Amino acid sequence: MRVVVPFAAEQPKTRLADVFTPAERRELARVMLDDVLRALREAGHTPEVLTTATIDVNVPTIVDDRPLNAAVNAVLADGSPVAVVMADLPLATPDAFARLFASDADVVLAPGRGGGTNAFVTRHSSFRVDYHGASYRDHRERAREVGASVATIDSHRLATDVDESTDLVEVLLHGTGETRRWLEERGVRLDTSGDGRVGIRRDDTTAV
Amino acid sequence: MRVVVPFAAEQPKTRLADVFTPAERRELARVMLDDVLRALREAGHTPEVLTTATIDVNVPTIVDDRPLNAAVNAVLADGSPVAVVMADLPLATPDAFARLFASDADVVLAPGRGGGTNAFVTRHSSFRVDYHGASYRDHRERAREVGASVATIDSHRLATDVDESTDLVEVLLHGTGETRRWLEERGVRLDTSGDGRVGIRRDDTTAV
């Protein structure tokens, strides 16, 4: 099965502007992509990157500068079984991906926290995506509309995309790849001083 | 195996004060408890509630008004295998609990988002809890210190405890029990108008 990882090469991760410089955010996006590609390869797959601009990466790339929905739907239009995995899932492990691929439903969804669709497999030629809004809910409905059976993967690792600073807590706690090391090298630490959930802080000495 | 569900009968869910009245927060805490107890029973268990004050519930209760750590550690002091499951996991399903109980490690942890420990099984007589701070990380360390093998359950359902309004998004999207219905009856809706993750809004007409 084709496994496609969309990647936004420009202006990545703007909601992390309170923690990282633009150059750092580009680095972070890239190290997360590399973690996702590595976990997919270790799970036995041969991922391709669907990128908005040419990047230097050691896997096949498809360059498509259209918005995400159009670029992914162009891949799906082929009608063959395909998996689409977001590039900002640094907690993903080969085991978590194995669960995604183990289900034999026509459409297998891995919801992201906050209503997104962090990864999916489709074996139905008519399934298409729309990542706007509560896309997990919408994708379930679209799958049913085209008569596809649907399964959902219950995974915290696949549910954790990195968009906001609180997401970095999960990487520091559960990360097994380079993204965790990258954060630690830049002085990003757990902050357990609050009353509620754990947050992050950044040591100034290592700030750029 | 004993399955114990701690429940704070007073002043529950203060971080939801922007959405619900104190009376509603007590109701919400109770409907979530009932969902957790139901899922545990459907998974074949006989849960007990470890409560800070007498409550009217259809399962055995242990009343202990000490803070959470002391009350749970008093249960663990018995030395027998026991599971401790938080009462604010309205996404928990029998399948998710089945995965928690299927591992045969000495200590099996289900991390909560933000560093907590939402559920665990211990088969090691020396394991004790401290829920303060990044308890998932601390509990891993404590388990290793006492020589216990450790496993972690990768579940978005078990990782989702309900403390803040963004957590309600997950209940509306993925809930299968009474808590979702309770929220919907009180006019809590998904808000997909923002740019980032989906949020919630509450219809004023149904506010108390």
Side-chain angles (χ1 to χ4, degrees):
Chain A
M1 187 184 303
R2 279 184 79 182
V3 178
V4 174
V5 181
F7 183 69
E10 294 105 8
Q11 290 206 313
K13 299 296 158 199
T14 50
R15 282 188 278 158
L16 286 170
D18 52 335
V19 188
F20 298 119
T21 67
E24 286 174 326
R25 300 203 305 272
R26 279 191 294 275
E27 259 187 73
L28 172 61
R30 180 53 197 264
V31 74
M32 291 197 294
L33 171 67
D34 288 342
D35 272 349
V36 168
L37 295 175
R38 188 178 306 110
L40 284 166
R41 278 192 300 255
E42 288 176 10
H45 300 283
T46 307
E48 306 161 48
V49 176
L50 173 61
T51 175
T52 55
T54 306
I55 58 168
D56 181 22
V57 64
N58 198 20
V59 302
T61 60
I62 313 148
V63 179
D64 190 332
D65 64 1
R66 287 177 291 177
L68 181 63
N69 290 338
V72 170
N73 283 331
V75 171
L76 300 184
D78 174 55
S80 305
V82 61
V84 177
V85 176
M86 294 295 115
D88 58 354
L89 307 177
L91 266 56
T93 54
D95 282 354
F97 283 132
R99 290 172 57 209
L100 176 72
F101 289 94
S103 170
D104 59 2
D106 295 333
V107 173
V108 187
L109 300 169
R113 182 172 173 88
T117 305
N118 283 355
F120 70 87
V121 168
T122 174
R123 300 179 176 91
H124 194 290
S125 60
S126 301
F127 181 73
R128 297 292 181 272
V129 297
D130 180 351
Y131 283 102
H132 180 77
S135 72
Y136 167 71
R137 184 185 58 179
D138 298 342
H139 287 153
R140 282 188 74 94
E141 283 171 18
R142 279 164 177 252
R144 288 201 188 99
E145 282 166 11
V146 300
S149 61
V150 181
T152 296
I153 303 301
D154 174 28
S155 167
H156 178 58
R157 292 187 172 280
L158 297 183
T160 305
D161 49 329
V162 170
D163 286 318
E164 302 171 359
S165 61
T166 56
D167 303 324
L168 302 176
V169 171
E170 307 305 316
V171 183
L172 292 173
L173 284 166
H174 305 292
T176 59
E178 289 302 309
T179 306
R180 177 180 179 164
R181 192 179 336 236
W182 187 92
L183 291 173
E184 288 170 347
E185 285 171 358
R186 273 140 200 89
V188 180
R189 308 275 181 257
L190 292 180
D191 180 356
T192 58
S193 62
D195 277 344
R197 287 180 178 152
V198 172
I200 59 139
R201 59 183 170 79
R202 187 169 180 182
D203 292 345
D204 285 338
T205 50
T206 59
V208 174
Chain B
M1 186 185 304
R2 278 185 79 183
V3 179
V4 174
V5 180
F7 184 70
E10 295 105 8
Q11 291 206 313
K13 299 296 159 199
T14 51
R15 282 189 278 157
L16 286 171
D18 51 335
V19 187
F20 299 118
T21 67
E24 287 174 326
R25 300 203 306 271
R26 278 191 296 275
E27 258 187 72
L28 173 61
R30 180 52 197 265
V31 74
M32 291 196 293
L33 171 67
D34 288 342
D35 272 349
V36 168
L37 296 175
R38 187 177 307 110
L40 284 166
R41 278 193 299 255
E42 288 177 9
H45 300 282
T46 308
E48 308 162 46
V49 176
L50 173 62
T51 175
T52 54
T54 306
I55 58 169
D56 180 23
V57 62
N58 197 20
V59 303
T61 61
I62 314 149
V63 178
D64 189 332
D65 64 0
R66 287 179 291 177
L68 180 63
N69 289 339
V72 170
N73 283 331
V75 171
L76 300 184
D78 174 54
S80 305
V82 61
V84 177
V85 176
M86 293 296 114
D88 58 354
L89 307 177
L91 265 57
T93 53
D95 281 353
F97 283 132
R99 290 173 56 209
L100 176 72
F101 288 94
S103 170
D104 59 2
D106 295 333
V107 173
V108 187
L109 300 169
R113 182 171 171 89
T117 306
N118 283 356
F120 70 88
V121 167
T122 174
R123 300 178 176 91
H124 194 290
S125 60
S126 302
F127 180 73
R128 296 292 181 274
V129 296
D130 180 351
Y131 284 101
H132 181 78
S135 72
Y136 167 71
R137 184 185 58 179
D138 299 342
H139 288 152
R140 282 189 74 94
E141 283 172 17
R142 279 164 178 250
R144 289 201 188 100
E145 283 166 12
V146 300
S149 61
V150 181
T152 296
I153 303 302
D154 173 29
S155 167
H156 178 58
R157 292 187 173 279
L158 297 183
T160 305
D161 49 329
V162 170
D163 286 319
E164 303 171 0
S165 62
T166 56
D167 303 324
L168 302 177
V169 171
E170 306 306 315
V171 183
L172 291 173
L173 284 167
H174 305 292
T176 59
E178 289 302 310
T179 306
R180 178 179 177 164
R181 192 176 339 233
W182 187 92
L183 292 172
E184 288 171 346
E185 286 171 358
R186 273 142 200 89
V188 180
R189 307 276 180 257
L190 292 181
D191 180 357
T192 58
S193 62
D195 276 343
R197 287 177 179 155
V198 173
I200 59 139
R201 61 183 169 79
R202 188 170 179 182
D203 292 345
D204 286 338
T205 50
T206 58
V208 174

